[in-house]
Amino acid sequence: MADIAEEAVKEILFGGLAGLAAGYATKKTGSQLVGLTMGAGFVALRAAIFNGDYLATWSPLLKDDASFPQHMKRKARKEAFSTNKRVEDFTKENFLVFSGFSGFYFLGQ
C-alpha cells in the first residue's frame, strides 16, 4: 500500500515540476503561448513514452520502466488496440501526472 501511495506522490510531483516550470516561464515571458507550447510538449513526451517510441531511462516513475519486456508490452499495445482504446488507457495511466502539471502550472503563474 505504501508503494502505491509513494508512486502516486512521485507522479504528481513529476507532473508538478514540469507544470511549475511552464507556469513560471509563462509568467516571466507574459505570453500564454509559451505555456501552451510547454504543455503540449509535455503531453507529447508522455505520449511517446506511453507508445514505446521513446525510452525514458531517466524517469523516476515505475510506469516509465525502460526494460525490454515493458518496451515490448508498449509496442504490442500500440499494434493490438484501437486508437480510442489507447487514448483512454493513456489518459487513465497519466491522470495523476497531468493533474500535477495543471495544478502546479497555475501555482507558477
Side-chain angles (χ1 to χ4, degrees):
M1 186 67 174
D3 292 337
I4 295 171
E6 182 180 325
E7 187 63 21
V9 169
K10 274 196 227 177
E11 289 179 20
I12 292 170
L13 288 176
F14 183 74
L17 288 175
L20 192 62
Y24 183 76
T26 300
K27 180 180 177 181
K28 284 298 182 184
T29 60
S31 171
Q32 293 292 324
L33 187 60
V34 171
L36 178 68
T37 304
M38 290 179 78
F42 183 69
V43 171
L45 174 67
R46 296 299 313 153
I49 293 170
F50 179 80
N51 280 334
D53 297 329
Y54 177 72
L55 292 177
T57 56
W58 48 267
S59 179
L61 304 179
L62 287 177
K63 68 175 71 179
D64 295 341
D65 181 24
S67 66
F68 182 72
Q70 188 68 17
H71 178 67
M72 293 310 294
K73 179 182 167 187
R74 288 186 188 110
K75 290 292 189 179
R77 178 177 50 207
K78 186 176 179 181
E79 297 293 325
F81 295 121
S82 68
T83 303
N84 290 339
K85 175 70 173 149
R86 286 194 353 250
V87 168
E88 181 181 331
D89 290 346
F90 174 70
T91 54
K92 283 181 183 177
E93 189 174 303
N94 289 291
F95 178 75
L96 290 176
V97 176
F98 293 146
S99 296
F101 181 90
S102 59
F104 280 80
Y105 174 81
F106 291 114
L107 285 176
Q109 284 189 347

